């Protein structure tokens, strides 16, 4: 696999919003960004709106610059996200979009509508066939499969399972459906915590295999016939009482490889129509999914851009190490190795770990 071009523009260690906006304009101008744009094409701009209480996500002002550049080509951009597995302010489309608006991602402010890629509760999906080693098909959010092109905007930071969260995580975790997320995170079938179950029957109603049944002589509760369960995640999606439990103990290596295979599913029908922007700013130990203000653990470095997600992430890892002595993963979770996802992505053809760094 040949080397991929990766564009980089530096920022000061404590960069201002004005610096970040100007740097975004320059890297979009200097890079191959316009090559993925075509008049009337729909362009999904994948971002992370930040959990409630978080303030280190890539801000709406930056997204506005990207949207404006897309609109200049005559293409049709829209902001997009998917629902989370965990219970929080982003576990369904209604709460997620309301949170996005409260964080400034409104059509009026950014210039593009916000459309959830996986429907109301995370189960709008398309199964995509891939040449994987773990999966032969993966469940990807429907609107991501149907859109013409994709711009993935990632805030580079640490991650408690994968070591680093950047472009590959944005694709694999961020753009899979609820079922896809579940298959990345869980090695076991779901179960019902009978103490929390109110027997509302929602899970029974929505189970596609009819494997959830009634149990209990006095207090009734739902019960999953594990041997027949397909692990689709519908029960988790519809339960409002945190009664559905999973084993989240999949090891880091296994999760990273599953994440890469789902990322590959995102790119299968749009290899030449994707662009990745990694923001090496306000870097924290954990993901923007945490509902709290986090400490910044590394100085700002800059913005990395490429049509190759693996090269983009490899360069991000290398640049954080060059700037601060230790890469962002070593600083956040030294026991984890994000190079697993990079190496596996290279092996599967998701992208290349070899790159030419082009400084803007």
């Amino acid at each position: 696999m040949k080397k991929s071009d990766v564009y980089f523009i530096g920022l000061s260690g404590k960069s201002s919003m004005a610096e970040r906006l100007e740097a975004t304009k320059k890297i979009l101008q200097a890079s191959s960004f316009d090559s993925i744009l075509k008049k009337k094409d729909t362009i999904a701009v994948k971002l992370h709106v930040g959990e409630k209480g978080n303030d280190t996500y890539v801000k709406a002002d930056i997204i506005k610059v990207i949207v404006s550049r897309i609109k200049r080509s005559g293409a049709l951009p829209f902001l997009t996200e998917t629902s989370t597995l965990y219970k929080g302010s982003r576990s369904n489309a209604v709460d997620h979009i309301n949170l996005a608006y409260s964080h400034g991602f409104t059509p009026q402010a950014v210039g593009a509508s916000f459309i959830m890629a996986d429907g109301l509760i995370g189960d709008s999906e398309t199964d995509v066939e891939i040449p994987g080693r773990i999966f032969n098909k993966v469940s990807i959010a429907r609107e991501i499969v149907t859109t013409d092109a994709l711009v993935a905007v990632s805030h580079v930071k640490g991650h408690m399972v994968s070591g680093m969260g950047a472009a590959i995580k944005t694709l694999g975790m961020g753009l899979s459906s609820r079922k896809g997320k579940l298959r990345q995170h869980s090695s076991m079938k779901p179960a019902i915590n009978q103490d929390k179950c109110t027997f509302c029957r929602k899970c029974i109603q929505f189970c596609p295999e009819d494997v959830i049944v009634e149990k209990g002589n006095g207090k009734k509760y739902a019960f999953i016939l594990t041997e027949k369960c397909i692990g689709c995640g519908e029960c988790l999606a519809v339960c409002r009482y945190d009664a559905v439990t999973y084993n989240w103990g999949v090891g880091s290596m296994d999760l990273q490889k599953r994440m890469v295979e789902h990322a590959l599913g995102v790119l299968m029908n749009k290899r030449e129509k994707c662009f990745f922007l990694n923001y090496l700013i306000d870097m924290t130990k954990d993901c923007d999914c945490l509902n709290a203000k986090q400490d910044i653990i590394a100085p700002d470095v800059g913005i990395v851009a490429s049509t190759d997600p693996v090269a983009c992430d490899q360069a991000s890892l290398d640049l954080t190490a060059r700037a601060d002595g230790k890469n962002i993963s070593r600083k956040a979770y030294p026991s984890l190795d994000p190079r697993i996802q990079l190496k596996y992505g290279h092996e599967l053809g998701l992208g290349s770990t070899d790159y030419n760094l082009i400084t803007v």
Side-chain angles (χ1 to χ4, degrees):
M1 187 178 292
K2 67 178 183 178
K3 290 185 177 181
S4 296
D5 288 339
V6 174
Y7 297 85
F8 170 67
I9 187 165
L11 290 169
S12 62
K14 292 185 178 180
S15 60
S16 66
M17 179 56 72
E19 288 179 82
R20 296 172 182 184
L21 295 176
E22 186 61 26
T24 300
K25 293 175 184 177
K26 287 181 177 179
I27 203 165
L28 293 179
Q29 175 66 35
S31 68
S32 56
F33 182 67
D34 287 353
S35 67
I36 73 160
L37 306 177
K38 183 180 178 182
K39 188 175 181 179
K40 297 297 183 181
D41 271 4
T42 55
I43 316 288
V45 180
K46 166 65 172 79
L47 65 154
H48 193 307
V49 305
E51 188 56 75
K52 188 175 182 179
N54 179 275
D55 64 357
T56 47
Y57 55 89
V58 177
K59 303 299 190 294
D61 287 346
I62 294 173
I63 302 301
K64 180 180 179 180
V65 172
I66 299 167
V67 166
S68 296
R69 181 84 191 189
I70 294 171
K71 291 171 78 171
R72 280 173 49 184
S73 71
L76 306 172
F78 65 97
L79 311 185
T80 198
E81 252 282 31
T82 61
S83 293
T84 59
L85 275 179
Y86 64 86
K87 301 298 180 183
S89 300
R90 300 184 301 121
S91 62
N92 64 76
V94 176
D95 289 337
H96 203 143
I97 293 175
N98 285 337
L99 179 63
Y101 287 173
S102 73
H103 283 182
F105 298 97
T106 65
Q108 295 77 17
V110 179
S113 297
F114 200 107
I115 300 172
M116 291 295 287
D118 59 350
L120 183 62
I121 57 173
D123 61 354
S124 177
E125 63 195 11
T126 299
D127 285 342
V128 178
E129 293 186 359
I130 62 165
R133 299 173 185 172
I134 302 169
F135 305 109
N136 56 26
K137 64 180 179 179
V138 290
S139 300
I140 305 302
R142 183 182 180 277
E143 305 310 329
I144 294 305
V145 177
T146 59
T147 193
D148 295 309
L150 169 68
V151 177
V153 181
S154 303
H155 172 218
V156 176
K157 62 275 180 188
H159 190 269
M160 64 186 71
V161 182
S162 62
M164 177 181 73
I168 295 173
K169 178 182 176 292
T170 294
L171 292 174
M173 286 190 190
L175 292 176
S176 55
S177 67
R178 188 175 293 272
K179 185 195 297 184
K181 291 180 178 69
L182 180 61
R183 286 177 175 169
Q184 290 172 70
H185 283 88
S186 181
S187 60
M188 290 181 68
K189 302 292 178 65
I192 304 291
N193 182 330
Q194 65 186 72
D195 292 330
K196 289 186 175 183
C197 179
T198 66
F199 200 59
C200 68
R201 301 180 62 87
K202 274 276 189 180
C203 59
I204 294 175
Q205 177 184 351
F206 282 92
C207 177
E209 297 297 304
D210 296 324
V211 299
I212 306 180
V213 298
E214 175 185 326
K215 283 276 189 174
N217 294 322
K219 179 185 181 296
K220 293 183 179 180
Y221 60 91
F223 180 82
I224 298 173
L225 302 174
T226 305
E227 67 279 6
K228 297 181 179 179
C229 174
I230 62 172
C232 70
E234 284 291 327
C235 51
L236 182 68
V238 299
C239 180
R240 294 293 176 264
Y241 303 99
D242 295 330
V244 180
T245 62
Y246 281 90
N247 171 27
W248 302 104
V250 174
S252 178
M253 179 181 291
D254 192 15
L255 180 138
Q256 288 188 61
K257 289 183 176 182
R258 293 175 184 220
M259 185 171 70
V260 166
E261 294 203 2
H262 282 77
L264 185 61
V266 172
L267 300 193
M268 285 303 291
N269 72 333
K270 51 178 65 66
R271 281 283 187 172
E272 308 302 320
K273 298 285 285 183
C274 295
F275 196 84
F276 305 93
L277 287 159
N278 279 6
Y279 281 78
L280 285 67
I281 59 175
D282 297 334
M283 289 179 281
T284 54
K285 179 180 180 181
D286 289 304
C287 182
D288 297 329
C289 295
L290 292 193
N291 61 346
K293 182 179 175 65
Q294 297 187 60
D295 293 332
I296 294 170
I297 63 172
D300 295 344
V301 174
I303 307 169
V304 174
S306 181
T307 56
D308 180 337
V310 176
C312 203
D313 282 4
Q314 181 68 65
S316 297
L317 201 64
D318 295 343
L319 287 163
T320 57
R322 190 173 76 182
D324 201 34
K326 292 182 180 179
N327 66 49
I328 185 62
S329 178
R330 289 280 307 278
K331 296 198 76 171
Y333 288 94
S335 64
L336 300 179
D337 185 4
R339 293 174 299 178
I340 293 168
Q341 61 189 276
L342 300 173
K343 180 181 177 183
Y344 193 61
H346 184 102
E347 291 173 359
L348 285 191
L350 179 67
S352 175
T353 53
D354 300 320
Y355 61 92
N356 298 306
L357 190 67
I358 303 167
T359 301
V360 176

